[in-house]
Amino acid sequence: MAAINADPEVMRWIRDGSVRDEQQTRGGIQAWESEWESQGFGLFAVEIRSTGELAGFTGLSVPHYLPEVLPAVEVGWRLGRSHWGQGLATEAAAAAVRFGFEERGLERIVSITQVGNDASERIMTKLGMHPVRETVNPTGGRRVRVFELSSDQCVTTTR
């Protein structure tokens, strides 16, 4: 995961675009693990089934960095560049959305992306999500678009 977080092209659309070193990555993983304990959901490793290679992650988290959308649970993903354009993010995110609705009983899931990140917006659209607002991320100062999906919409769009 540290190698993925150290890639400037991968991190281009994350917060202020800064890369993360191994120590920062380790701290992030510890925070994700504690979210599983406190919230009952979190991030999943995305692995290539045939090789066991780590492709990145997907999963659910609370978007504390954007208080105006709270209470909310966000689906997100981050894959290494060599795994882009293969449908992995869409497949993994759809599984995370189903997990949130079916296993955790969530009523609504959001996804947040920086304006201009067309690849992520395409994934959100494939998940059946629709844009509900545009605002500024206070932690990075960049414009973001918020998409959402309700549990009743998910029944027909992600199965």
Side-chain angles (χ1 to χ4, degrees):
M1 197 66 223
I4 294 170
N5 285 343
D7 184 335
E9 190 60 25
V10 170
M11 300 303 289
R12 175 181 175 198
W13 299 108
I14 309 298
R15 300 213 179 165
D16 67 356
S18 298
V19 296
R20 299 200 178 115
D21 63 23
E22 191 170 333
Q23 183 177 352
Q24 291 167 313
T25 298
R26 193 172 288 124
I29 291 170
Q30 289 173 345
W32 301 336
E33 288 174 350
S34 69
E35 195 162 38
W36 272 103
E37 292 179 25
S38 66
Q39 301 290 335
F41 54 76
L43 301 178
F44 299 96
V46 175
E47 293 182 349
I48 304 304
R49 187 174 295 159
S50 62
T51 65
E53 177 188 1
L54 178 69
F57 69 77
T58 189
L60 303 172
S61 62
V62 176
H64 295 290
Y65 65 92
L66 196 60
E68 69 188 78
V69 302
L70 297 176
V73 174
E74 177 183 18
V75 62
W77 50 86
R78 184 177 311 153
L79 298 180
R81 243 193 298 178
S82 63
H83 302 289
W84 291 359
Q86 301 171 29
L88 292 173
T90 302
E91 179 183 353
V97 166
R98 282 192 304 274
F99 172 79
F101 289 139
E102 295 173 7
E103 303 296 323
R104 294 299 174 248
L106 300 175
E107 294 181 17
R108 175 179 78 108
I109 295 176
V110 301
S111 194
I112 303 163
T113 189
Q114 290 184 19
V115 172
N117 186 347
D118 297 333
S120 282
E121 286 197 16
R122 280 192 298 276
I123 293 167
M124 294 170 190
T125 301
K126 287 177 185 176
L127 294 173
M129 301 184 116
H130 59 277
V132 292
R133 77 169 64 186
E134 199 170 297
T135 188
V136 174
N137 177 345
T139 64
R142 295 180 173 182
R143 293 206 61 73
V144 295
R145 202 165 280 137
V146 180
F147 284 67
E148 77 174 20
L149 181 68
S150 65
S151 58
D152 61 329
Q153 294 167 323
C154 180
V155 171
T156 59
T157 59
T158 61
R159 289 189 179 195

